[in-house]
Amino acid sequence: SLRDLKNLWDSTLEFLQAVEGLSGTTGYGLRSCLLQQAKAFLEHKHEAQLARLVATLDSAKWAHAHVSAERQSALDKLSTGRAFLPEELTRAIDADALGGGAGAGGSAGAAAAPEKENGAVVDGTAFKGVWSALLLVEMVMANLSTAAHFPALATDVLQRIVALLRQFNTSCSRLVLGAGAIHSAARLKSINARHLALASQCLGLAMALAPHVRAALLAQLPPKHHLLLVNLDEAVQEYAKHHEDILSKFVSIID
């Protein structure tokens, strides 16, 4: 698990730093080995994520998925920049917010909104997503957590997140706009306006979260690698184009 790898990383570095202090030399070999292990861990997780995402999309019935309170809480933390703060600080901020908003119904109302809307709420906007879209968000956040634990992997994490986003976008276009879900494992009888609407909402959810994902990566990437975020921006532009295509298709159905 990520936590086990982090414990191994910290223990090894502590030992390495002690040996370096005693010997007066730098353990490049062991440091390199640690980094390679972390990269192998990330690549293994990414391959498993891609395979799971493709399989989930292939069998998707494109029905609305309920968003649990726990999942909404994770979305709230990401959209407010608190996803990777220490747990103690996060709890203190949450307690502060509850104390300040309980009287006016602020925090309590915000917490109740996801249950009432039965969708994912980002920056006050509710999205009716399907399970595969929620899975995509979960995978992106897992990758962001890896970058927070291992800043040296931030550039690699960015590449994996862009790959996941593009895989979802490509598969969604093929299955819904391209009517591939009729011949996929889902075996839908037809693609109707409801399917288009849900696909549109899924794209909207991803685009709404993109600025927050970008900000989280920006905090971890070294300044010389900030330009690489253009890859994420391009992926978001592809989502916007796909969203326009869905709206055009929807209009043609209405016509």
Side-chain angles (χ1 to χ4, degrees):
S1 69
L2 181 61
R3 178 172 294 180
D4 290 338
L5 182 64
K6 179 61 175 173
N7 289 337
L8 174 64
W9 179 284
D10 290 342
S11 299
T12 306
L13 272 186
E14 183 181 353
F15 166 77
L16 182 58
Q17 288 166 356
V19 172
E20 288 175 340
L22 290 170
S23 64
T25 60
T26 303
Y28 290 113
L30 192 50
R31 289 180 183 276
S32 176
C33 179
L34 265 183
L35 184 58
Q36 290 305 316
Q37 279 193 332
K39 286 187 174 184
F41 169 87
L42 178 62
E43 182 60 27
H44 173 76
K45 289 287 187 181
H46 177 65
E47 290 176 358
Q49 286 177 336
L50 269 182
R52 185 183 176 196
L53 183 61
V54 169
T56 302
L57 280 161
D58 192 56
S59 59
K61 298 290 186 180
W62 294 94
H64 173 234
H66 172 70
V67 178
S68 67
E70 293 79 8
R71 197 177 292 274
Q72 181 59 49
S73 177
L75 288 172
D76 291 340
K77 287 179 179 178
L78 176 61
S79 60
T80 54
R82 297 183 293 130
F84 310 111
L85 289 177
E87 291 183 13
E88 297 80 4
L89 183 56
T90 300
R91 282 197 296 267
I93 294 174
D94 288 339
D96 224 22
L98 285 172
S107 266
E115 294 296 333
K116 183 179 179 182
E117 295 288 347
N118 199 30
V121 180
V122 180
D123 296 332
T125 302
F127 297 93
K128 303 284 188 180
V130 300
W131 166 242
S132 56
L134 299 181
L135 180 63
L136 171 68
V137 173
E138 180 182 291
M139 290 175 173
V140 168
M141 293 185 69
N143 277 281
L144 289 175
S145 184
T146 301
H149 280 81
F150 305 101
L153 297 182
T155 302
D156 301 87
V157 166
L158 169 60
Q159 295 172 355
R160 271 50 177 200
I161 288 177
V162 170
L164 287 170
L165 289 172
R166 283 187 162 140
Q167 180 63 61
F168 180 87
N169 190 43
T170 301
S171 296
C172 178
S173 178
R174 175 178 58 82
L175 292 167
V176 180
L177 275 179
I182 296 174
H183 308 290
S184 69
R187 296 295 179 188
L188 296 183
K189 293 182 178 179
S190 64
I191 303 297
N192 56 38
R194 180 175 64 87
H195 299 129
L196 289 171
L198 282 171
S200 171
Q201 289 281 291
C202 291
L203 297 177
L205 173 61
M207 288 190 287
L209 282 173
H212 304 296
V213 172
R214 193 183 197 282
L217 287 168
L218 189 64
Q220 300 297 334
L221 286 168
K224 64 180 180 180
H225 290 160
H226 285 179
L227 287 175
L228 295 176
L229 287 169
V230 70
N231 295 323
L232 179 61
D233 298 335
E234 289 173 353
V236 175
Q237 290 172 7
E238 292 167 10
Y239 271 65
K241 175 63 168 63
H242 184 183
H243 190 265
E244 290 176 4
D245 292 341
I246 287 180
L247 295 182
S248 297
K249 182 67 174 178
F250 185 79
V251 169
S252 70
I253 289 178
I254 298 300
D255 288 341

